[in-house]
Amino acid sequence: MGFIVFLVLFPFLTAAILTMTKNNTVRKAVVYTGSAIIICTAIVFSLTALIKGIDSGAKYFGVTHLVHVIDTVMLGIEILLMVLIVYLSIKHKKYYAGLLSVAGTVLIAWLELSGKAASVQNHVYCDKLSVIMCLIIAIVGSLICIYAVGYMVDYHNHHTEFKDRRTFFFPMLFVFLGAMFGLVISSNLIWIYFFWEITSISSFLLIGYTRTKEAIDNSFRALWMNLLGGLGFAGAIVYSTTVLHVTTLQQLVYHPASIITLVPVTLLAFAALTKSAQLPFSKWLLGAMVAPTPTSALLHSATMVKAGVYLLIRLAPAMSGTIAGTMVSLIGGFTFLVASMLAITVSDGKKVLAYSTISNLGLITACAGVGTTETVWAGTLLIMFHAVSKSMMFQAVGAIENATGSRDIEDMHGLIVRLPFLAFVMIIGIAGMFLAPFGMLISKWAALKAFVDAKNILLVLFITFGSATTMLYWTKWLSKILACKAQTRLRRNTTSLGQWFSLAGHATMMVMLCVLLPVLSIKLIEPLLAQLYKIEHVSVLAPEDMVIMVVLLLLIFVIPMVARIIVKKMTFKPNMEYMSGINQGDNRHFVDSFNQPKLMFLSNWYMEDYFGEKKIWKISVAIAAAVIVACIGIVIGNLTGGAI
Amino acid sequence: MMLKTILGMVLYIVFAPFVGGLLAGLDRKITARMQGRIGPPILQPFYDVRKLINKDILLINNMQYLFAWCFVIFVVFTGALFYGGFNILLVFFVLTTAAMFFVLEATTTNSPYSVMGANREMIQMLSYEPMVLLTAVGFYVATAFTTGTGAGTFSVASIISESNIPNIVVLPGVFFGFAFILTIKFRKSPFDLSMSHHAHQEMVKGITTELSGGMMALIEVSHWYENVFLLGVVALFVLCNKWWSIPLAILVCAITYFVEILVDNTSARVKWENMFKHSWIITLIFGVVNIFILQMLS
C-alpha cells in the first residue's frame, strides 16, 4: 500500500521541484534521481506484489481514512482544470473544448455533491495487470524522461525560434507519469476518471509546447477528442452509480450481464477508443507529432494511449460476446488495417511510427473486444512489446533527427554506415515489431486463431490483409536503413550519454522480453487471465509451439552471427554495381544523355494511388463513426425497448 | 510421431534440391516443347549450378552475403518445419521472414536494378501475403469438417492424419486462390516482376542482378527448396488418411505445375498494378468467400 501511494505521489513531487528548477545541470540531477527512484520503487513493488501478495488472487485495499479529504481535493483540482481549459479555449477561440470540459466536470461534481454516489468500499485495486502496467509506465516512462534531458538541449540548439519552456515541459512529463500510476491502480471509477482527465489535459499542454499555430490547433484537437471520451466516461459513472449502484470498475465488470450493465460498459469502451486513438479519433495522435520527440514517445508508447487499451482489457470479460465487444473489435480490426495502409504512404519517420502505433493499438483493441482468453493473452503481450519497441524507435528517430537534421525515411538511406549504433537500435525495434518469432508475431498468431474460432470473418480479413501491409512498411524502412551506399562516411553522433542510457535500456528490455516470453506467458500472463476470467487454469500456447518458437528465436540470433563469421573469413572480389555499362566508376554516378555524370538515387515506393490519405482517410472515418453510432444506438435502443 | 517428424525434415533437407532441380529441368523441357524447341537435357539445371559454383563470387559488399545466407537458411527451415508436420501458420510466418531477407540482400547493394527488383518483390509479397495467411486459416476451418471432430487444426501432421476426405473438397476457392498466387511465388509470367528466369528484360535480372558465382548457385538451390515446399502445400490440399490420397496428391501437384508452366508460356508479364489488384480481388472473392461459407455451415 505504501508503495502505491508513493508511486502516485512521488512523480507529482518531482514535478513540483522541477517547476522551480531553472538550471539545466540541476534539472538533470533531479530528473535522473527522480526517474531512478521511480524505477526502483516500481520494481520492488512489483516483486513484493508478485511474490507475496497477489498470487492467490487480486487484492483490494480499502482506503478508509482520508477518503473524504482525497475526494474533495480531487474535485477541487478537477474544477480548477476546468477553469483553466475554459480560459484557454476562450483565449484561442476553441469554445467547443471548453464546453466539453464543463459538461464532464459538472456531471461528476453534481454526482459527488448531491450525495447520490454510493459509498465506495475499495478505492484501490492491484492485480497482475496493474503490476505489468506499473512496470511499463515506470521503466519506459522514466527512461523517456532521462532521454528528454539530453534531447531537449539539442532540440533548443536546433530550434532557436521556439521559446525555451523546459521549466514547464519536465514537470508535465512527471505529472503524466503520476497520473498514469493513479489510473492503473485505482478501482473507484471517479478516481480513474480523475486521473484519466489529468492525462488528457497534460497531453494537451505538452502537444502545444512550441506554441505555433499548428501546435495549438493539434493540441486542441487532441483535447476535444479526449474530452469527448471523458464525457462518455462521466456518463458511464453517473449511470452506473445511479442505476446500478456500482462504484468500482471491478464491480462493474463482474456485475451480472444485462442490457443495463451494457450501457456503462459501452460508454467506457467508447472513452477508451478515443484515448487509444482508434478510428474515427485517430487524428489527434497524428497531430501530436508536432511536439518534441519525448512527448511523442511518452504519448505513443508507454502512457496515454496505453490507458485506453488498459481499460479495454479490464472490460474484456464484460464485453465478450456483447454488442460493445462487437463495436470494439470491429473498430480495432478496421483501424489495424487502415492505419497500416496509411503507414505505407508516408515517408516522415515519426508519422510512420504514429500510424503504426494506431495500427498496433487497433490490434490490441480488437483482441480486447473479442474478449476470449487467447485474445486477451495476445493483447496483454502486445501492450508490453509495443510499449518498449515503440518508445525505443521514437527515441532513435529523435536522435537521428538531431544528428542528421532529418527524420525522413528517404534520408535514412545507408544509416547503418553513417550512424551504426542508432541503426542497430532501429533494427532491433523493427525486428521486434514484426519479425518471426518476436512477440508481435506470436501475438498476431494467437489473435488470428482466436478470431477464426470466434467465426468473425471480418476480423480475419482485417488481420490477414493488415499483416501484409504491416510487413510492407517495415520491410521498406528496414531496407532503407541497411542500404550500403558507396563512399558514405561515419557521421558524428550527437546523442548524449543520457539518451544512450535510455536507448540501450530499451534495447536490452526488448531482447529480454523476447527471450523470456515463455516464462512471462506461464508465470505472469496466464495467471492474470485466470484471475480476470475467474477460472482455474489457462493455457494458451501449446508446448510444442513453444519449442519451435525457442528454436526460431535462437535461429534469428545465431544465424546472423554465424553468417557474420563466415563473411569475415571469406574473400571476394569487390565489384562495380551493374548500371548498364554507364557506371561512372564510383557506384554513385552514371553518365546521363548529355554525357555528364549524374548522381543516382533510389527511392522507396509509397503507393499513394492505392492507400493515400486522400483516398481512404475520409471514408474510413465515416465508416468507423457509423459503426460506433450504430452500436451505441443499439445499446440505448435495447434499454428503452426493455423499459417499454 | 517424433520419428516421423525427424524423418520428414531430414528427407526434405536431403532430397528437396534433387526433386526441385529435376522439376526445374522438366519445366525447361516442357517450356521448350511448347515453344517448338527441343530444349536442354532434364539435368541441365544441375549442370548450371555446378558451373556457377566454380565461378568467382563478385559482390558489392559483404552484407549481401550475410542476408543471402539468412534467406537460404530460413527457406530450408520453412520447408523443414512443413515436412516435419508443424504448425502451418508458423511455417508461413517463417516463409515471410525468409522473403524479407531476400529483399534485404538486394537493397543492401544500393544497385539500381537490384533495388528496383527488390521494390517489386515487396509488392509481390504484399500481393500474395493475405492469400497465404488465408490458406492457413482455410485449413483450420476445413479440418473442422473433414476430421469429423468439429475442431480445427493448424498442425500439418494432424491435417493429413485426421482428415477423412481431402480438404480440397471443402476448400475449392482457397485452392484456386492459392494456385493463383503460386504463380507469383514460382516467379512465373505474368507475375515474374521482380526477377525473371531470363536476363533479357527491362530489369536485367531484377532482384538477383548483383549475385554471382557460388552465391547465385546457392540462391538457385534455395528456390528449388522453396518450390518443393510450395508443391507440398498444394499436396496438403489433397492428402488425407486414405492411401489413395497419395497418388491423387502427386497427380494434383503435377497438374498444378503443368498449368503454371502453361500460363507462363501463354501470357505476357503484367504491370505491378494489375498483379496487385488481381491478387487481392481473387483473394477476397475466392479465399474469403470460401472460408465465410464454411464458417456459416459449421
Side-chain angles (χ1 to χ4, degrees), chain A residues 131-368:
Chain A
V131 169
I132 291 172
M133 291 302 295
C134 278
L135 277 177
I136 292 175
I137 297 160
I139 299 178
V140 178
S142 302
L143 284 178
I144 292 172
C145 292
I146 291 174
Y147 168 93
V149 177
Y151 178 90
M152 291 309 283
V153 173
D154 259 358
Y155 183 80
H156 282 291
N157 288 342
H158 282 282
H159 298 279
T160 41
E161 70 272 25
F162 302 137
K163 192 172 162 239
D164 185 347
R165 291 166 64 208
R166 271 179 275 179
T167 45
F168 164 78
F169 183 77
F170 282 93
M172 274 343 267
L173 292 185
F174 279 91
V175 166
F176 217 116
L177 293 186
M180 280 302 296
F181 283 126
L183 205 154
V184 297
I185 49 113
S186 295
S187 179
N188 183 346
L189 280 169
I190 294 178
W191 286 22
I192 300 180
Y193 174 78
F194 170 72
F195 292 118
W196 185 272
E197 292 292 89
I198 291 189
T199 59
S200 295
I201 291 163
S202 48
S203 80
F204 156 71
L205 294 171
L206 279 171
I207 295 169
Y209 179 74
T210 58
R211 286 193 175 147
T212 56
K213 184 169 182 315
E214 191 194 9
I216 287 173
D217 284 349
N218 289 350
S219 65
F220 271 99
R221 189 188 295 127
L223 184 65
W224 83 254
M225 285 183 176
N226 279 304
L227 285 179
L228 185 67
L231 191 58
F233 205 123
I237 295 175
V238 171
Y239 192 90
S240 58
T241 28
T242 50
V243 179
L244 292 171
H245 305 289
V246 161
T247 47
T248 69
L249 183 58
Q250 275 64 35
Q251 283 175 323
L252 178 65
V253 171
Y254 301 111
H255 203 272
S258 70
I259 48 173
I260 302 171
T261 36
L262 202 53
V263 176
V265 168
T266 313
L267 287 174
L268 286 179
F270 170 76
L273 289 180
T274 62
K275 201 76 162 179
S276 287
Q278 297 301 292
L279 282 172
F281 306 108
S282 304
K283 202 89 189 179
W284 76 259
L285 197 64
L286 297 166
M289 293 289 96
V290 296
T293 295
T295 311
S296 323
L298 204 59
L299 294 186
H300 283 258
S301 59
T303 54
M304 189 75 167
V305 293
K306 288 292 183 302
V309 284
Y310 159 80
L311 185 61
L312 287 175
I313 293 220
R314 279 261 181 257
L315 290 173
M319 288 195 299
S320 180
T322 65
I323 188 84
T326 312
M327 170 179 88
V328 169
S329 58
L330 280 182
I331 293 286
F334 185 62
T335 309
F336 171 63
L337 176 64
V338 171
S340 67
M341 284 174 167
L342 288 164
I344 294 173
T345 63
V346 286
S347 71
D348 177 343
K350 262 174 108 176
K351 211 160 178 193
V352 174
L353 290 181
Y355 275 130
S356 105
T357 302
I358 297 172
S359 172
N360 284 312
L361 289 169
L363 191 55
I364 303 171
T365 304
C367 285

Side-chain angles (χ1 to χ4, degrees), chain B residues 80-258:
Chain B
L81 281 181
F82 179 79
Y83 283 94
F86 287 98
N87 187 312
I88 193 165
L89 204 51
L90 194 66
V91 170
F92 285 144
F93 283 142
V94 182
L95 181 72
T96 310
T97 310
M100 197 206 61
F101 279 119
F102 195 41
V103 167
L104 290 182
E105 173 276 315
T107 50
T108 185
T109 62
N110 196 46
S111 154
Y113 291 106
S114 322
V115 173
M116 280 191 273
N119 281 339
R120 288 186 176 191
E121 178 75 17
M122 282 190 243
I123 301 297
Q124 290 185 184
M125 288 162 77
L126 178 69
S127 306
Y128 68 66
E129 190 72 14
M131 191 61 230
V132 167
L133 288 181
L134 273 179
T135 305
V137 173
F139 277 117
Y140 185 80
V141 179
T143 41
F145 280 89
T146 53
T147 58
T149 55
T153 174
F154 280 117
S155 148
V156 174
S158 313
I159 291 173
I160 297 172
S161 64
E162 288 170 21
S163 298
N164 298 319
I165 48 164
N167 283 298
I168 194 171
V169 176
V170 287
L171 287 176
V174 172
F175 181 77
F176 179 78
F178 187 76
F180 188 86
I181 57 111
L182 210 52
T183 319
I184 307 176
K185 284 299 296 176
F186 276 150
R187 302 176 185 286
K188 296 276 187 209
S189 183
F191 301 140
D192 54 347
L193 294 163
S194 72
M195 150 196 153
S196 148
H197 294 285
H198 323 286
H200 50 76
Q201 46 154 333
E202 85 282 14
M203 298 285 286
V204 192
K205 199 78 166 86
I207 194 167
T208 52
T209 304
E210 298 295 351
L211 287 167
S212 55
M215 211 60 247
M216 188 64 205
L218 203 61
I219 296 291
E220 202 66 25
V221 173
S222 57
H223 280 140
W224 296 348
Y225 268 110
E226 199 178 358
N227 290 352
V228 172
F229 155 68
L230 291 167
L231 284 176
V233 180
V234 172
L236 191 63
F237 276 96
V238 182
L239 288 173
C240 63
N241 56 12
K242 305 284 186 299
W243 66 268
W244 47 260
S245 70
I246 297 169
L248 192 65
I250 295 171
L251 185 70
V252 170
C253 284
I255 294 172
T256 311
Y257 202 62
F258 180 79

Side-chain angles (χ1 to χ4, degrees), chain A residues 413 445 453 573 577-578 580, chain B residues 56 87 109-110 113 140 210:
Chain A
H413 198 101
W445 168 17
D453 282 335
K573 292 183 182 173
E577 288 166 11
Y578 181 79
S580 308
Chain B
D56 280 338
N87 187 312
T109 62
N110 196 46
Y113 291 106
Y140 185 80
E210 298 295 351

Side-chain angles (χ1 to χ4, degrees), chain B residues 16-32 40-46 48-49 186 188 197 220-221 223-225 227-228 231 257 261 264:
Chain B
F18 296 102
V19 179
L22 278 178
L23 278 172
L26 212 62
D27 179 354
R28 287 166 73 169
K29 196 84 185 169
I30 295 170
T31 300
I42 299 275
L43 295 179
Q44 188 62 37
F46 295 104
D48 291 349
V49 163
F186 276 150
K188 296 276 187 209
H197 294 285
E220 202 66 25
V221 173
H223 280 140
W224 296 348
Y225 268 110
N227 290 352
V228 172
L231 284 176
Y257 202 62
I261 297 170
D264 186 32

